[in-house]
Amino acid sequence: MFIMMEGAWEAGRTLAGTDCESLLAGIAQGKQDAFEHFYRVTDRAIYAFALSLTRSHHDAQDVMMDTYLKIRGAAHLYRPDGKPMAWVFTIVRNLVRDHQRRSGREELMGDMPEGELALPESDRSDEAMVLREAMRILSPEERQIVLLHAVSGLKHREIADDLEMPLATVLSKYRRALAKLRKRLSEEG
């Protein structure tokens, strides 16, 4: 449904079924292979979440890299509770706020110029148009859920766990977001 930013993602990678808690423990012990594996299975989810908050491809990449630096330095602070990605998403949220504060933006998820998505306006593919409209019209929560599902490939139950929301809420917001997108795209022809 959506295009992947900066090239195709490596096939076969999945966050589902990965024991992120043991990987975080390995990162805390300084194990490079644990960090590399954690990166490979979480980069899409972290990028999609950062993009849903920043609405900017470049800012999302910056936040994503800062997130991994923070994880590497703070993995020893993670306390296993069964929700490692919720911990990671909290880091992402805090870094987005810090990034926006530093760059003088007052409001989280404010309007961004069209070019910020790193998609040329001349790109009229279905995926590019849907992504642009998702960034424009969806609420922050709807945008997070749609991008985590479409870009990261997370299942709705995983999204609910990671965002600490009831599954029914995630499903409802996802359906509502898709209905908004369908309506907008049909209006535009």
Side-chain angles (χ1 to χ4, degrees), residues 155-175:
K155 292 178 172 57
H156 291 106
R157 183 171 307 285
E158 294 171 309
I159 294 168
D161 288 344
D162 294 341
L163 296 179
E164 298 179 330
M165 298 173 130
L167 177 59
T169 301
V170 169
L171 291 169
S172 171
K173 287 182 182 292
Y174 182 74
R175 282 192 294 272

Side-chain angles (χ1 to χ4, degrees), residues 53-54 93 96-97 100 105-110 140 143:
L53 295 172
T54 64
R93 267 190 217 97
V96 167
R97 285 187 184 104
Q100 290 178 333
R105 296 180 190 148
E106 299 242 341
E107 206 173 300
L108 186 64
M109 295 163 275
R143 200 168 42 245

Side-chain angles (χ1 to χ4, degrees), residues 103-159:
S103 54
R105 296 180 190 148
E106 299 242 341
E107 206 173 300
L108 186 64
M109 295 163 275
D111 291 332
M112 293 299 213
E114 186 67 35
E116 290 286 341
L117 286 175
L119 292 172
E121 191 59 38
S122 60
D123 186 346
R124 291 302 202 192
S125 68
D126 290 344
E127 293 88 1
M129 289 175 28
V130 170
L131 183 57
R132 278 191 206 95
E133 286 307 310
M135 293 294 117
R136 283 187 196 126
I137 68 169
L138 298 181
S139 74
E141 283 183 336
E142 291 168 338
R143 200 168 42 245
Q144 290 171 9
I145 291 166
V146 168
L147 288 176
L148 286 171
H149 183 68
V151 174
S152 300
L154 292 176
K155 292 178 172 57
H156 291 106
R157 183 171 307 285
E158 294 171 309
I159 294 168

